[in-house]
């Protein structure tokens, strides 16, 4: 079993729909990251969370430390939101803070 | 704007060649990381470094080595490239002690033929 599990692996929706991507983890963490990767490869950090909730524009990220679960929500989705969304947890491993990644959720928003 | 720069976006190399992937960051970060990303497997850590001349193996170090002679530069070396090393390679950096976000490079897509 992976230490970080994301669901769903693939998600297709119509423009305007409310999107939820889930992330569960099994290791102790100091923070959780949500990352976005567009075709072409570059990764952009969307959020870093250690508790509660953060909002940036149409994106909302929440984390429940007790349940070891985080969600990324997109309101009023748009085709430009199409990307791979990656959950990663920051954990102390071998004396350094390292990221452990989920496998990613490929989101496609159709016009 | 802070940056992690990877020297090449696309590379095509022949089996057996020695390949150097370069990563430079301008943020004075202590930690630097090399990942590879493959479909269905996500990002996997190859090597990381938490200081100049220091290096630690990640989850999949076999077939790779690294060099960190200067704080801002972290090089990934494929001593003898093989076709199973065809992948997207991503470099990242972070500050050592503070809880701040990672910064990723834009990736190098390496094809070994």
């Amino acid at each position: 079993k992976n230490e970080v599990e994301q669901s769903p692996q693939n998600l297709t929706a119509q423009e305007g729909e409310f999107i939820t991507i889930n992330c569960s983890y099994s290791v102790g963490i100091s923070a959780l990251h949500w990352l976005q990767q567009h075709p072409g490869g570059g990764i952009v950090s969307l959020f870093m969370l250690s508790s509660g909730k953060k909002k940036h524009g149409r994106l909302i990220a929440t984390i429940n430390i007790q349940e070891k679960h985080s969600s990324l929500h997109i309101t009023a989705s748009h085709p430009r939101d199409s990307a791979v969304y990656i959950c990663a947890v920051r954990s102390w491993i071998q004396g350094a803070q390292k990221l452990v990644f989920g496998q990613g959720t490929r989101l496609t928003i159709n016009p | 704007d802070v940056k992690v720069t990877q020297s090449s976006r696309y590379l095509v190399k022949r089996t057996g060649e020695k390949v150097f992937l370069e990563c430079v960051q301008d943020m004075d970060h202590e930690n630097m990381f090399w990942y590879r990303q493959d479909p269905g497997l996500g990002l996997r850590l190859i090597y990381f470094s938490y200081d100049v001349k220091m290096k630690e193996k990640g989850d999949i170090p076999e077939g790779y080595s690294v060099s960190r002679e200067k704080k801002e530069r972290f090089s990934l070396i494929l001593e003898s490239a093989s076709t199973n090393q065809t992948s997207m390679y991503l470099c990242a950096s972070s500050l050592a002690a503070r809880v701040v976000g990672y910064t990723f490079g834009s990736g190098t897509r390496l094809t070994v033929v």
Side-chain angles (χ1 to χ4, degrees):
Chain A
K1 191 179 188 303
N2 293 331
E3 292 167 316
V4 180
E5 294 275 358
Q6 283 185 240
S7 62
Q9 289 190 352
N10 293 282
L11 178 57
T12 300
Q14 290 299 121
E15 183 174 355
E17 287 189 40
F18 181 81
I19 302 299
T20 296
I21 300 171
N22 295 301
C23 175
S24 297
Y25 55 91
S26 58
V27 294
I29 70 168
S30 54
L32 182 143
H33 299 255
W34 281 103
L35 310 168
Q36 181 191 57
Q37 185 176 31
H38 279 286
I43 292 178
V44 174
S45 179
L46 297 174
F47 294 104
M48 186 182 65
L49 296 162
S50 54
S51 64
K53 177 179 173 178
K54 287 191 176 179
K55 185 175 188 293
H56 185 255
R58 296 179 294 104
L59 302 178
I60 303 165
T62 64
I63 188 169
N64 184 318
I65 297 295
Q66 287 73 31
E67 294 186 4
K68 296 190 172 182
H69 181 269
S70 175
S71 293
L72 176 69
H73 305 285
I74 305 174
T75 61
S77 60
H78 190 276
R80 65 175 174 267
D81 297 325
S82 298
V84 175
Y85 292 85
I86 302 169
C87 171
V89 299
R90 183 189 284 243
S91 197
W92 280 98
I93 301 171
Q94 295 174 262
Q97 288 207 5
K98 292 163 57 176
L99 287 179
V100 180
F101 294 86
Q103 292 191 0
T105 296
R106 184 174 298 279
L107 174 65
T108 303
I109 304 295
N110 293 319
Chain B
D1 198 15
V2 295
K3 278 192 176 175
V4 175
T5 303
Q6 293 182 230
S7 53
S8 304
R9 288 301 304 275
Y10 300 95
L11 273 180
V12 180
K13 296 292 182 180
R14 294 196 179 278
T15 301
E17 277 193 75
K18 189 170 187 175
V19 182
F20 292 86
L21 302 183
E22 304 287 347
C23 176
V24 177
Q25 50 96 2
D26 63 1
M27 297 163 285
D28 203 34
H29 282 177
E30 292 87 356
N31 294 343
M32 294 188 76
F33 306 83
W34 274 107
Y35 298 92
R36 65 178 281 178
Q37 184 180 32
D38 301 287
L41 298 176
L43 282 95
R44 294 178 292 167
L45 181 65
I46 305 171
Y47 266 96
F48 67 100
S49 168
Y50 51 85
D51 203 351
V52 177
K53 297 193 185 293
M54 304 300 287
K55 59 185 178 184
E56 293 288 343
K57 291 180 180 179
D59 300 318
I60 50 164
E62 296 78 18
Y64 303 94
S65 62
V66 290
S67 172
R68 191 152 181 216
E69 296 297 317
K70 294 183 178 181
K71 191 175 186 180
E72 67 270 19
R73 186 180 296 270
F74 192 36
S75 302
L76 180 69
I77 304 156
L78 287 65
E79 295 289 343
S80 177
S82 63
T83 55
N84 63 12
Q85 292 178 309
T86 292
S87 186
M88 169 69 86
Y89 290 87
L90 287 146
C91 175
S93 72
S94 72
L95 279 171
R98 293 171 55 198
V99 183
V100 294
Y102 279 54
T103 302
F104 283 86
S106 54
T108 297
R109 189 168 293 281
L110 173 68
T111 302
V112 182
V113 297

